[in-house]
């Protein structure tokens, strides 16, 4: 197992943000590496061709909104800007046309995030609809520690996979432990321990989802647009992703228009 500390000149924090379009059913996603944001351009700009926009600042241009929740830390990367640009060109060659249900902003962010972090990430969100292939390597056996801008997070993952086909998405997680304290403002604060021995999760977009496994999540606060509270796996959350009720063995989630 390797656990790296941030920040050094070689490693940069990776964050994901999303703008509500029709919460909890539709969101626009963007990803930040260091100070630079990456996102698929909006449909009115791309028409039928995919285009990747990039900018520096506190938020991606396409994600700016009073409803946008502050970006969540998902991991770290040692990839350089030049490597990212080459990867972006290859992604556009493989996904030249914008498709609402498949080759969209969420597919791009998921693919980029998995590549940047070598599948060693912690993501709070579920995709609404996207076409995402499973990572080549399931077993990660790696971790990271990050302390930056009001967020302190330590995460270890034995193995994980997240595949999507349109609104259908499935996740498999084995041996994941994440501790997080966050205090970045009114939209994100609290302390959390996310402990998963093993879990299988299936979702139809953000409309409905079910999970089964063995979990011992404990914590309280607001993050990722949701208020949540758990004690040893019992608890739930409510917010931009709807309503979720969990036990150590089972979890159910459904759409709630807020």
């Amino acid at each position: 197992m390797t656990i790296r500390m941030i920040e050094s000149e070689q490693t940069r924090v990776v964050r994901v943000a999303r703008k509500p379009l029709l919460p909890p059913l539709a969101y626009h996603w963007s990803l930040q590496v260091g100070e630079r944001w990456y996102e698929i351009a909006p449909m009115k700009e791309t028409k039928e061709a995919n285009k990747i926009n990039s900018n520096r600042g506190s938020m991606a241009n396409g994600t700016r909104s009073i409803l946008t929740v502050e970006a969540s830390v998902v991991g770290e990367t040692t990839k350089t800007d030049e490597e990212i640009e080459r990867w972006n060109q290859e992604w556009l060659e493989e996904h030249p046309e914008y498709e609402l249900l498949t080759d969209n902003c969420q597919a791009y962010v998921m693919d980029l995030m998995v590549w940047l972090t070598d599948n060693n990430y912690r993501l709070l969100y579920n995709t609404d609809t996207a076409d995402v292939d499973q990572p080549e390597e399931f077993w990660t056996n790696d971790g990271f520690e990050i302390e930056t801008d009001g967020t302190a997070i330590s995460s270890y993952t034995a193995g994980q996979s997240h595949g999507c086909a349109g609104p259908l998405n499935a996740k498999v997680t084995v041996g994941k432990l994440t501790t997080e304290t966050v205090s970045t403002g009114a939209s994100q604060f609290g302390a959390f321990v996310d402990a998963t021995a093993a879990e299988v999760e299936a979702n139809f977009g953000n409309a409905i989802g079910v999970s089964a496994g063995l979990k011992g999540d404990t914590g309280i606060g607001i993050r990722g647009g949701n208020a949540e509270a758990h004690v040893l796996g019992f608890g739930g959350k409510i917010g931009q992703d709807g309503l979720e009720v969990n036990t150590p063995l089972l979890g159910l989630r459904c759409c709630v228009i807020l």
Side-chain angles (χ1 to χ4, degrees), residues 102-120:
T102 54
D103 293 341
N104 53 28
C105 62
Q106 296 181 21
Y108 168 72
V109 167
M110 285 292 300
D111 286 344
L112 179 57
M113 177 188 67
V114 171
W115 174 74
L116 284 169
T117 64
D118 295 321
N119 198 37
N120 179 26

Side-chain angles (χ1 to χ4, degrees), residues 114-130:
V114 171
W115 174 74
L116 284 169
T117 64
D118 295 321
N119 198 37
N120 179 26
Y121 64 88
R122 186 288 311 261
L123 181 65
L124 296 175
Y125 313 133
N126 289 303
T127 56
D128 313 323
T129 178

Side-chain angles (χ1 to χ4, degrees), residues 101-102 127-131 163-170 202-208:
L101 299 181
T102 54
T127 56
D128 313 323
T129 178
D131 190 358
C164 311
L168 299 175
N169 69 80
N203 301 281
F204 186 83
N206 264 331
I208 190 169

Side-chain angles (χ1 to χ4, degrees), residues 184-235:
T184 60
S187 63
Q188 293 201 110
F189 62 88
F192 310 89
V193 176
D194 303 321
T196 301
E199 182 184 39
V200 177
E201 182 178 346
N203 301 281
F204 186 83
N206 264 331
I208 190 169
V210 60
S211 62
L214 180 59
K215 300 187 67 176
D217 295 354
T218 299
I220 187 170
I222 298 176
R223 58 178 177 173
N226 300 286
E228 61 178 281
H230 290 89
V231 177
L232 298 178
F234 293 97

Side-chain angles (χ1 to χ4, degrees), residues 67-240:
L67 298 177
T68 300
V69 176
E70 294 178 58
S72 296
V73 173
V74 297
E76 65 178 3
T77 188
T78 58
K79 306 292 196 301
T80 65
D81 289 343
E82 291 75 16
E83 289 175 307
I84 294 172
E85 288 304 316
R86 289 195 297 269
W87 185 93
N88 280 339
Q89 291 304 313
E90 293 176 1
W91 193 90
L92 288 175
E93 291 175 2
E94 296 177 2
H95 309 269
E97 296 182 357
Y98 184 92
E99 298 288 347
L100 181 62
L101 299 181
T102 54
D103 293 341
N104 53 28
C105 62
Q106 296 181 21
Y108 168 72
V109 167
M110 285 292 300
D111 286 344
L112 179 57
M113 177 188 67
V114 171
W115 174 74
L116 284 169
T117 64
D118 295 321
N119 198 37
N120 179 26
Y121 64 88
R122 186 288 311 261
L123 181 65
L124 296 175
Y125 313 133
N126 289 303
T127 56
D128 313 323
T129 178
D131 190 358
V132 179
D133 293 331
Q134 297 181 10
E136 294 182 1
E137 293 292 336
F138 174 83
W139 296 109
T140 303
N141 193 32
D142 202 354
F144 60 85
E145 292 183 2
I146 296 172
E147 186 172 353
T148 179
D149 297 333
T151 297
I153 179 172
S154 176
S155 182
Y156 167 78
T157 303
Q160 64 182 355
S161 180
H162 190 164
C164 311
L168 299 175
N169 69 80
K171 294 189 289 186
V172 178
T173 306
V174 175
K176 192 175 187 73
L177 177 63
T178 301
T179 62
E180 178 181 22
T181 58
V182 56
S183 178
T184 60
S187 63
Q188 293 201 110
F189 62 88
F192 310 89
V193 176
D194 303 321
T196 301
E199 182 184 39
V200 177
E201 182 178 346
N203 301 281
F204 186 83
N206 264 331
I208 190 169
V210 60
S211 62
L214 180 59
K215 300 187 67 176
D217 295 354
T218 299
I220 187 170
I222 298 176
R223 58 178 177 173
N226 300 286
E228 61 178 281
H230 290 89
V231 177
L232 298 178
F234 293 97
K237 61 183 181 181
I238 187 170
Q240 289 189 358

